[in-house]
């Protein structure tokens, strides 16, 4: 399977805590992206990090990328109940336009 | 719907029937793709297209056909539906330059009985 993997599969935290999700992918990439999916809805693009970048920030999101380990992490700081959703990483394969998704992390933030 | 329209939203098919899932975009993006989402499996790429007249296979192409006669439309055809094709199908358009990403439709929930 070309599909990447994420861990943990599920994460439960209290509001105000930080949430960290990890992603591993399988081949050389142009970029790595993170998406959020609320239950039963389509996915929403959160952030993209290019293969020559190591860290990127957007609001309460911080993404890191380690191409030597083929891994990335998403940190959501000061979580809110509204952050409850599934989060997916997606790797755009090098020299192609394929965008391959990981298996996702289900985040539950309790008020 | 982020400029991606999928129809129908729900569909029930009998085994062996064929059907076409429609996907249309209004942003003139070259890249479009189809995914299926099954519980615990995340999204898996079925087919994708980098422009009109150009399509390629993804991770799970068997049992599906696509064509791209215009930039706007990217239909997905199920040739002979099987219960294993019961899933939620998502179409997406993408624009990766400048830090962009994929924009998804709301999905088609397909049940094959």
């Amino acid at each position: 399977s070309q599909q990447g993997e994420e861990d943990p599969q599920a994460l439960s935290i209290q509001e105000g805590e930080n949430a960290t999700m990890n992603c591993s992918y399988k081949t050389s990439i142009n970029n790595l992206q993170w998406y959020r999916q609320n239950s039963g809805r389509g996915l929403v693009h959160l952030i993209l990090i290019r293969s020559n970048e190591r860290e990127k920030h957007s609001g309460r999101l911080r993404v890191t990328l380690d191409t030597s380990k083929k891994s990335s992490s998403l940190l959501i700081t000061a979580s809110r109940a509204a952050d409850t959703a599934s989060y997916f990483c997606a790797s755009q394969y090098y020299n192609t336009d394929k965008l391959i998704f990981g298996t996702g992390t289900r985040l539950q933030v309790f008020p | 719907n982020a400029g991606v329209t999928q129809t129908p939203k729900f569909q029930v098919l009998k085994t062996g029937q064929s059907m076409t899932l429609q996907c249309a975009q209004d942003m003139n993006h070259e890249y479009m793709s189809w995914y299926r989402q099954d519980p615990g499996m995340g999204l898996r790429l079925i087919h994708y297209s980098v422009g009109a007249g150009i399509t390629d296979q993804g991770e799970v192409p068997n049992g599906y056909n696509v064509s791209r006669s215009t930039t706007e439309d990217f239909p997905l055809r199920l040739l002979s539906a099987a219960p294993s094709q019961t899933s939620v199908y998502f179409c997406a358009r993408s624009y990766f330059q400048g830090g962009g990403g994929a924009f998804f439709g709301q999905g088609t929930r397909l049940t094959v009985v």
Side-chain angles (χ1 to χ4, degrees):
Chain A
S1 167
Q2 302 172 29
Q3 203 169 25
E5 292 182 4
E6 293 178 59
D7 84 277
Q9 290 187 348
L11 180 61
S12 295
I13 59 174
Q14 296 290 130
E15 261 191 336
E17 294 180 337
N18 295 342
T20 300
M21 295 158 245
N22 302 296
C23 163
S24 61
Y25 56 92
K26 297 190 174 182
T27 187
S28 298
I29 60 172
N30 287 329
N31 61 67
L32 188 129
Q33 304 169 34
W34 286 88
Y35 290 79
R36 183 183 73 204
Q37 183 181 35
N38 291 93
S39 180
R41 309 290 294 273
L43 280 75
V44 175
H45 178 250
L46 296 175
I47 192 167
L48 178 152
I49 185 167
R50 301 188 190 286
S51 60
N52 60 354
E53 297 176 310
R54 292 296 168 259
E55 186 171 314
K56 199 162 184 179
H57 296 254
S58 177
R60 293 184 296 112
L61 305 180
R62 173 178 168 255
V63 171
T64 62
L65 180 64
D66 186 336
T67 53
S68 67
K69 295 181 179 177
K70 291 187 170 60
S71 68
S72 174
S73 68
L74 172 68
L75 169 67
I76 304 174
T77 60
S79 295
R80 306 166 182 167
D83 293 328
T84 294
S86 292
Y87 291 82
F88 295 89
C89 68
S91 49
Q92 190 188 14
Y93 280 14
Y94 179 73
N95 245 10
T96 77
D97 294 289
K98 280 187 185 181
L99 188 64
I100 302 296
F101 281 78
T103 50
T105 294
R106 291 188 309 279
L107 174 65
Q108 175 83 49
V109 182
F110 291 99
Chain B
N1 67 349
V4 178
T5 302
Q6 288 185 237
T7 55
K9 288 186 170 50
F10 302 93
Q11 183 71 49
V12 178
L13 287 179
K14 293 182 180 178
T15 298
Q17 286 185 316
S18 63
M19 80 159 294
T20 299
L21 279 63
Q22 301 291 344
C23 177
Q25 60 143 329
D26 59 4
M27 293 296 292
N28 208 35
H29 287 168
E30 295 293 333
Y31 185 93
M32 295 185 75
S33 51
W34 276 103
Y35 292 87
R36 59 178 288 173
Q37 185 174 29
D38 302 300
M41 296 292 292
L43 276 78
R44 291 183 291 170
L45 181 64
I46 305 172
H47 286 285
Y48 66 105
S49 169
V50 298
I54 307 170
T55 63
D56 205 347
Q57 296 182 348
E59 301 169 276
V60 288
N62 292 340
Y64 307 94
N65 270 359
V66 292
S67 60
R68 186 93 180 271
S69 56
T70 66
T71 304
E72 291 78 19
D73 299 302
F74 190 42
L76 178 72
R77 279 182 286 278
L78 279 70
L79 308 173
S80 177
S84 61
Q85 293 179 305
T86 293
S87 189
V88 182
Y89 292 83
F90 288 100
C91 177
R93 61 171 176 86
S94 303
Y95 184 73
F96 298 123
Q97 287 78 10
F103 300 87
F104 285 81
Q106 288 302 298
T108 295
R109 188 173 297 272
L110 175 69
T111 301
V112 182
V113 298

